[in-house]
Amino acid sequence: MPDRHPTDHVAPVGHLDHLDRTREQQGVRRAPLDHLSELKEFARLHARNQGMGTRETARILARIGTDAPDAADSWTRVWRLRGDELADRGRLLAACRHYTLARFPYPYDDPRRHAQQTAVATFDTWRRTNGGIERLELPYPDGTLHAWAAGLDTHRRSHRPLLLMMGGIVSVKEQWAPLLPRLTKLGYAAVVAELPGVGENTQRYTPDSWRLIPWLLDHLSPRARTDAATLLFLSFGGHMALRAAAEDPRVRRVLTVGPPVAGFFTDTTWWERVPGITRDTLRRLTGARDESELRSQLQEFALTEDQLRVIGAAVRCVTSTRDEIIPPRDADLLRTAVPDVRVKVIDDVHGSPGHPGAVRRWLAWNLRGAGR
């Protein structure tokens, strides 16, 4: 049975705890999220994306009555206890999925921080038992960055083309890392990391966060072919990928689902309908003290038509007709400005949680090169 504390192999990362504690000292302590129904709705998407059954997820959510950290029916406690039960039975990967939801949407209290560390440690134990996945610690100048990888090689003649993966503002790398061995079977060297401020990435999320991608390509070049990289970046990660593709010709393909482009960041009317969890999480990642400061910072994230027009990579994107986060005009801008783009439209909400099979098949088809 795995130790439910960070293992000797994986040192816990401070994440943005220093930011939270500074805010507490300044009297701006973040109160627990009070929109529990919204929290549950988002969790259904992320549970389904991790392969968790709808009935199992519904049973767990039915037991949760509050987000207060010390309550017996609190969000983190209920998810955490189910994860512990699975870990006791040796189902480490299933336990890890529950721990990632226990820390959802981000670790703003001690129980969530502990769940975050336990998710990483549990996945580390699972991957050591099964083999094929390595842990990377990357010394990025602005903060520590950890990643999971498969298929990297020190012999240049054996280098595979790089597939770099990243989720959005609430998804950690442990959600996607189990896919790494499958991706090596498609011929890739695959690496999954996290958006700045998410999980074990201790950087601040800023308009310049896209520079992390060229840095990763440089850093990974001794172990993979980075001259024809594919970026599988989801949601807000997709925005970073598009920005990097406008600057770095080594990015040859961008595969993304529901990325913000420009309107999300600038449209004040649309902003009024953006879910509270999204706003709150962005405040956390950017370090904004309040929503006014956040809105001011986000203006600088918007991509311009000139930036999109110079993208030389093939861009393949899934959008949802009822997306509650990303405005329709963002997909329209991609269609009109990016030279090589194809957009698959699905009648669903953000991330198309009701069509996981269709999204996976679309991604797999493109990863095999058929979508070029």
Side-chain angles (χ1 to χ4, degrees), residues 265-284:
F265 302 108
T266 60
D267 189 334
T268 55
T269 301
W270 181 267
W271 180 256
E272 296 303 318
R273 60 190 292 177
V274 172
I277 285 178
T278 303
R279 300 185 192 188
D280 193 79
T281 304
L282 283 169
R283 283 197 298 267
R284 154 79 174 194

Side-chain angles (χ1 to χ4, degrees), residues 64-341:
I64 298 172
T66 180
D67 196 34
D70 298 327
D73 61 344
S74 73
W75 178 272
T76 304
R77 180 178 175 82
V78 173
W79 281 109
R80 178 65 188 261
L81 288 176
R82 179 54 179 158
D84 290 348
E85 292 172 2
L86 292 165
D88 288 343
R89 291 158 51 188
R91 297 180 58 190
L92 299 184
L93 197 55
C96 182
R97 294 178 182 128
H98 289 71
Y99 296 142
T100 64
L101 283 163
R103 51 79 62 196
F104 188 87
Y106 60 84
Y108 56 78
D109 54 32
D110 285 339
R112 277 179 164 86
R113 282 188 279 272
H114 190 206
Q116 164 72 34
Q117 294 171 359
T118 305
V120 175
T122 303
F123 182 83
D124 188 56
T125 301
W126 176 83
R127 66 99 188 176
R128 286 177 178 274
T129 302
N130 290 271
I133 297 176
E134 64 176 299
R135 179 173 168 85
L136 304 178
E137 182 173 348
L138 307 172
Y140 192 70
D142 294 335
T144 305
L145 175 70
H146 291 79
W148 302 111
L152 298 177
D153 201 316
T154 56
H155 301 289
R156 187 165 295 275
R157 290 184 179 180
S158 303
H159 282 183
R160 298 163 175 247
L162 178 67
L163 170 61
L164 194 58
M165 300 173 61
M166 195 174 289
I169 60 175
V170 294
S171 59
V172 292
K173 61 190 180 303
E174 287 73 31
Q175 292 180 226
W176 316 109
L179 298 173
L180 292 173
R182 298 184 189 178
L183 296 171
T184 63
K185 293 180 180 179
L186 295 177
Y188 291 102
V191 176
V192 58
E194 288 153 324
L195 200 79
V198 177
E200 292 189 288
N201 187 332
T202 63
Q203 302 164 55
R204 183 76 58 85
Y205 183 45
T206 74
D208 285 332
S209 289
W210 66 270
R211 297 182 186 278
L212 173 62
I213 297 172
W215 183 89
L216 283 170
L217 298 184
D218 291 341
H219 193 85
L220 295 169
S221 61
R223 303 189 62 192
R225 278 191 55 207
T226 58
D227 59 331
T230 296
L231 305 183
L232 174 50
F233 279 44
L234 307 177
S235 191
F236 284 81
H239 168 267
M240 276 179 57
L242 291 167
R243 182 67 180 89
E247 302 288 342
D248 196 325
R250 292 175 295 179
V251 178
R252 298 292 181 84
R253 282 193 296 176
V254 174
L255 309 181
T256 184
V257 179
V261 181
F264 172 84
F265 302 108
T266 60
D267 189 334
T268 55
T269 301
W270 181 267
W271 180 256
E272 296 303 318
R273 60 190 292 177
V274 172
I277 285 178
T278 303
R279 300 185 192 188
D280 193 79
T281 304
L282 283 169
R283 283 197 298 267
R284 154 79 174 194
L285 301 186
T286 60
R289 291 182 56 86
D290 53 38
E291 189 155 308
S292 176
E293 184 178 333
L294 173 64
R295 293 292 300 134
S296 177
Q297 290 187 28
L298 290 182
Q299 301 294 312
E300 300 178 34
F301 283 79
L303 300 180
T304 67
E305 290 189 31
D306 288 343
Q307 289 169 334
L308 295 172
R309 287 195 184 100
V310 299
I311 292 177
V315 175
R316 303 294 181 258
C317 176
V318 172
T319 64
S320 302
T321 58
R322 291 178 281 119
D323 198 315
E324 72 280 20
I325 298 176
I326 311 302
R329 60 184 286 194
D330 278 8
D332 294 338
L333 182 57
L334 286 181
R335 290 188 187 94
T336 58
V338 176
D340 183 1
V341 63

